[in-house]
Amino acid sequence: MSDNFLDYLVTNARIVEPAGTEAGESGADYYGSLGIKDGKIAVIYPASGAGTANVSGAPPNARRVIDAEGGILTAGFIDVHAHSDNDIPCAEKLLAMGVTTAFSGNCGLSPVDFKSFFEEFDRTAYPVNQAEQAGHTELRKAAGQGDVYAPVTKSQLEKIKALAAEAFDEGASGFSFGLEYAPGAGGEEVLELAKFAAERGRVVSVHTRLNKVNDTDSLKEALDLSPRTGARVIISHLVYMFVGDGLKRAIDLIGRYRAQGADVWVDSGMYTAFASFAGSPVFDEPVFAGKGFSVEKLRAATGKYAGEYLDLEKYREIRGEFPRDSFIYDPGKPEDILTAYSLSDVMVSTDCIRYPAGQGHPQGAATYPFFLRLLVKEKKRLSLGEALRRCSAVPARALGYAGKGRVAVGADADLVVLDWEHLRENAEFPGLGDPDAKPDGIRHVFVNGAAAIENGKRTGVLSGKNLRRGNA
Ligand SMILES: [Zn+2]
């Protein structure tokens, strides 16, 4: 487009720039208007008139003017730990929370054929931007080792590398491990694959082994990958892995590695109750009991018993007959969530995954408003700027997205406008409520400069980009 019209002018906004350079340091917080053109932030007019814009004088004409009504205008949220994997309902729930980018393919779970996976994304169009990692467990299976309890042979390891190289050539953005789901993977296998990914400039995300509850040895294994291979390591969903005193020990350990210069990043959700497939090794009877978990505290997330607490008979029935159903187990306490975010730069993540409608885990529909409500509004543990930083600017840095996670002229127009007063999550665990319920207070969302949500209503626009990563 060659005219001077803005695509949108968002007026009357409280603009909160989430990007600071250090922990605890967020950017400016001021009233003003913001113009969008061709997918980018084209101009910002502070209400003071001081002018940080790249044009002078009165605002130019805009095709659309949207009144933010004093709402908080900030960078769209970047979900660093998603399992959206081209699933549209999953991405729609993310969008409804203000997420504009999903970093998917976590916990060792991903497609193997990235060419057709990316073609599918391009063909169907998608509500949010999405990047995809190559998942260790899936590549391992494709390389001929379907037994998660068995080690790989040398030739299988070479095959995994070849598949990873193909995925990277197609544009995969990282390499993910789900070691708790692949206990047979040896230390050398993990080390060699992390090195392979690091040499190709990919982040390595690790769902740790967790041999026992609060197993800091397995956390150490994951953290060591950074100094040993040069990889940027993302420790996945801290609070699902660690609770109570073990969480405090994990935080101390991460702090020590960071102090020594290790390139380690951490994401966490808002729940201590984790969900996984019933057939997962996590729920194998000896493993489950060995962790001190009890069947009576286990809930069905999906399937015929969705929302119900289980007994031994139902547990065995589901595991035997419906291994793709999901269980929910809560080993923690509510204060663990606050402890997890006390570690600096912990990024907010959902762990969202495809579930049958009305079943599953509320994390995919509640996490961001829940985080902002609890940590900022209610408990006042984080300032607004710092909390927003954890949702966008920190993940943008961890993932190397220079154009995202900030509200500045020239940045990608991935933006959210929050109605702060009414912001709250509504999704609940099955049995208690609707795990898909949309939050309140997400007023407008822009993805690549197009309004995907306007006045709280979905517009139907599918403007998410396929964030293929180049090898260069
Ligand atoms: Zn995981």
Side-chain angles (χ1 to χ4, degrees):
M1 263 175 271
S2 55
D3 61 50
N4 286 320
F5 280 72
L6 293 168
D7 297 329
Y8 293 95
L9 183 68
V10 185
T11 60
N12 195 21
R14 178 182 169 192
I15 298 172
V16 180
E17 159 63 272
T21 51
E22 297 299 332
E25 192 182 301
S26 53
D29 183 342
Y30 56 99
Y31 284 87
S33 304
L34 179 148
I36 295 169
K37 188 174 171 62
D38 299 336
K40 304 282 180 192
I41 299 173
V43 61
I44 298 174
Y45 302 98
S48 67
T52 62
N54 64 351
V55 296
S56 55
N61 288 322
R63 285 190 181 77
R64 293 286 316 280
V65 177
I66 291 181
D67 186 350
E69 297 173 54
I72 292 168
L73 169 60
T74 189
F77 306 146
I78 299 172
D79 183 2
V80 68
H81 189 102
H83 294 277
S84 47
D85 300 329
N86 282 2
D87 183 57
I88 289 184
C90 203
E92 287 288 347
K93 286 193 278 180
L94 291 178
L95 177 69
M97 289 189 284
V99 172
T100 51
T101 298
F103 196 71
S104 196
N106 280 284
C107 305
L109 307 170
S110 78
V112 175
D113 179 354
F114 276 73
K115 189 168 187 294
S116 52
F117 177 83
F118 286 139
E119 280 170 2
E120 183 194 349
F121 182 105
D122 293 337
R123 197 170 49 243
T124 55
Y126 209 59
V128 299
N129 302 312
Q130 183 181 266
E132 190 74 14
Q133 299 170 90
H136 170 240
T137 311
E138 299 300 329
L139 266 50
R140 204 174 190 265
K141 206 186 296 168
Q145 186 45 285
D147 182 354
V148 294
Y149 289 101
V152 291
T153 63
K154 214 163 165 37
S155 71
Q156 284 167 343
L157 184 57
E158 290 311 310
K159 182 84 202 301
I160 297 174
K161 283 188 201 168
L163 291 167
E166 270 174 42
F168 297 154
D169 287 345
E170 290 296 332
S173 293
F175 192 86
S176 78
F177 289 101
L179 296 175
E180 193 178 16
Y181 308 133
E188 281 303 313
E189 174 183 344
V190 173
L191 196 63
E192 217 172 297
L193 291 170
K195 187 159 171 278
F196 187 79
E199 283 165 359
R200 282 151 188 80
R202 263 60 179 196
V203 299
V204 173
S205 55
V206 189
H207 172 137
T208 54
R209 230 177 255 287
L210 211 69
N211 292 318
K212 53 186 193 293
V213 174
N214 286 328
D215 175 10
T216 40
D217 289 341
S218 61
L219 176 61
K220 199 168 174 306
E221 176 192 28
L223 293 166
D224 270 334
L225 294 176
S226 171
R228 291 183 74 184
T229 70
R232 169 164 292 179
V233 172
I234 301 177
I235 302 295
S236 298
H237 39 55
L238 180 69
V239 96
Y240 286 149
M241 311 310 291
F242 299 98
V243 291
D245 286 343
L247 176 61
K248 289 175 188 148
R249 285 198 299 279
I251 287 173
D252 285 348
L253 189 63
I254 293 163
R256 285 207 294 280
Y257 273 79
R258 282 177 168 177
Q260 286 162 16
D263 191 4
V264 293
W265 302 73
V266 182
D267 73 77
S268 184
M270 282 300 295
Y271 299 85
T272 52
F274 67 86
S276 196
F277 295 118
S280 149
V282 181
F283 296 117
D284 275 359
E285 273 189 52
V287 178
F288 190 70
K291 285 178 176 163
F293 292 169
S294 62
V295 169
E296 290 70 31
K297 281 174 69 182
L298 199 61
R299 272 179 286 179
T302 62
K304 62 196 264 200
Y305 301 118
E308 284 183 39
Y309 281 91
L310 302 174
D311 55 25
L312 194 61
E313 198 180 324
K314 286 176 181 166
Y315 164 71
R316 286 181 176 157
E317 178 195 341
I318 296 170
R319 277 186 55 80
E321 290 176 44
F322 311 102
R324 297 299 289 173
D325 275 354
S326 289
F327 288 150
I328 293 168
Y329 192 81
D330 190 353
K333 296 209 165 58
E335 55 262 37
D336 292 333
I337 298 298
L338 304 177
T339 306
Y341 288 108
S342 72
L343 174 63
S344 68
D345 284 348
V346 171
M347 304 178 278
V348 184
S349 68
T350 65
D351 208 11
C352 68
I353 200 163
R354 158 187 236 139
Y355 289 118
Q359 299 188 352
H361 193 297
Q363 61 199 2
T367 296
Y368 288 87
F370 185 12
F371 168 74
L372 294 169
R373 179 181 66 75
L374 189 75
L375 275 288
V376 185
K377 287 167 94 167
E378 221 166 85
K379 303 285 182 187
K380 299 182 170 39
R381 295 296 180 98
L382 298 174
S383 68
L384 173 65
E386 172 62 16
L388 294 173
R389 201 181 144 269
R390 305 284 188 98
C391 299
S392 58
V394 184
R397 272 172 71 198
L399 302 174
Y401 295 142
K404 300 195 186 299
R406 55 202 184 98
V407 187
V409 172
D412 296 345
D414 291 341
L415 297 162
V416 58
V417 178
L418 306 171
D419 171 0
W420 189 246
E421 193 194 336
H422 296 106
L423 185 69
R424 57 157 293 153
E425 78 284 6
N426 292 311
E428 255 300 352
F429 285 100
L432 300 173
D434 177 5
D436 298 332
K438 289 186 173 135
D440 294 331
I442 306 293
R443 197 174 272 163
H444 310 287
V445 183
F446 295 88
V447 180
N448 295 306
I453 291 175
E454 222 180 298
N455 295 311
K457 299 248 173 356
R458 181 75 173 100
T459 61
V461 165
L462 297 167
S463 56
K465 281 189 183 165
N466 194 346
L467 302 181
R468 284 189 180 92
R469 192 184 169 102
N471 273 327

